[in-house]
Amino acid sequence: SAVISQKPSRDICQRGTSLTIQCQVDSQVTMMFWYRQQPGQSLTLIATANQGSEATYESGFVIDKFPISRPNLTFSTLTVSNMSPEDSSIYLCSVLTSGGPITGELFFGEGSRLTVL
Amino acid sequence: AQSVAQPEDQVNVAEGNPLTVKCTYSVSGNPYLFWYVQYPNRGLQFLLKYITGDNLVKGSYGFEAEFNKSQTSFHLKKPSALVSDSALYFCAVRVNTGGFKTIFGAGTRLFVKA
């Protein structure tokens, strides 16, 4: 298992600004992911945060809008840039621990609830 | 396309009664299936998974799930529901699309009434 801390837990932001969300894990993990959960909807994978290299983005998500850093095996940040009300969501950091990429279960942080006015 | 479906937005059961939350999947290759639960204002928590072997998988908090290959289903069950089981439940499947990733269903909200 893993303990994942996300900051901030919630924030209210103005349109056009940017916000950086931090994710700290209590142990070294190889695979780390960022998900978005829009109000009343399921989770959508934004990107895989790769340590020491550029993140791998899913279709519909781009680096200019959601830049990600992964400086080491316990920490990552997701920035939501030039925010609009459509970016209002819960952003979840997730890691894969035991079991490997095929069968391992995901562990999640408690999420960062972002409201854009 | 590889996907997972949860046909019910909401399930209502009385405390003490058995509960079932439905999930069907569509994948190429072997299915690796998961159930997660999300309590209010919390992140997701892993409940159980099916990888291979016995079709009945037991997990946390008394939950179990039955893998049915012919029906491509992985329904979540519990013999006796508790009010504290009220939460949002997600079925998920692990797929390989040039890298392994997890696809989540739309979620089913479970209400257990006392």
Side-chain angles (χ1 to χ4, degrees):
Chain A
S1 65
V3 177
I4 304 169
S5 301
Q6 277 187 242
K7 293 181 181 179
S9 58
R10 58 180 63 230
D11 207 340
I12 299 174
C13 303
Q14 296 300 316
R15 183 195 300 259
T17 63
S18 299
L19 179 75
T20 296
I21 302 167
Q22 298 181 1
C23 177
Q24 179 73 54
V25 189
D26 69 340
S27 58
Q28 292 187 340
V29 293
T30 304
M31 304 192 76
M32 185 179 285
F33 309 92
W34 286 98
Y35 282 86
R36 181 174 73 181
Q37 186 179 18
Q38 293 181 301
Q41 297 189 27
S42 185
L43 282 75
T44 301
L45 180 62
I46 297 172
T48 301
N50 301 309
Q51 193 267 329
S53 64
E54 191 172 287
T56 304
Y57 289 85
E58 297 298 310
S59 176
F61 297 96
V62 295
I63 189 171
D64 290 345
K65 176 67 175 178
F66 298 100
I68 290 172
S69 77
R70 178 94 190 268
N72 56 53
L73 292 177
T74 64
F75 186 78
S76 177
T77 66
L78 168 74
T79 299
V80 186
S81 302
N82 188 25
M83 288 183 286
S84 67
E86 292 71 34
D87 294 321
S88 297
S89 288
I90 299 172
Y91 292 86
L92 293 157
C93 173
S94 175
V95 303
L96 195 62
T97 59
S98 61
I102 301 174
T103 63
E105 54 264 29
L106 294 172
F107 289 87
F108 288 84
E110 295 198 353
S112 298
R113 184 182 294 270
L114 179 61
T115 302
V116 184
L117 302 178
Chain B
Q2 303 187 88
S3 63
V4 60
Q6 293 180 244
E8 302 157 316
D9 292 335
Q10 183 172 311
V11 171
N12 298 307
V13 298
E15 188 174 34
N17 284 359
L19 70 87
T20 299
V21 183
K22 296 179 180 177
C23 172
T24 59
Y25 64 90
S26 174
V27 299
S28 54
N30 294 322
Y32 304 108
L33 300 158
F34 303 78
W35 276 101
Y36 291 85
V37 59
Q38 187 176 34
Y39 297 102
N41 301 313
R42 302 294 299 275
L44 275 73
Q45 297 178 30
F46 168 75
L47 275 180
L48 50 78
K49 65 181 176 182
Y50 172 82
I51 303 302
T52 187
D54 194 347
N55 289 343
L56 186 63
V57 179
K58 294 186 182 297
S60 306
Y61 312 123
F63 284 93
E64 58 190 27
E66 186 169 11
F67 171 69
N68 187 317
K69 188 173 182 179
S70 63
Q71 296 185 6
T72 62
S73 67
F74 188 55
H75 300 333
L76 181 70
K77 300 180 180 183
K78 187 173 183 180
S80 179
L82 300 172
V83 172
S84 57
D85 293 330
S86 298
L88 188 56
Y89 290 82
F90 290 98
C91 183
V93 62
R94 184 73 44 80
V95 298
N96 186 358
T97 55
F100 287 96
K101 66 177 183 179
T102 305
I103 298 175
F104 287 82
T108 299
R109 190 165 295 280
L110 174 66
F111 286 101
V112 182
K113 187 176 181 180

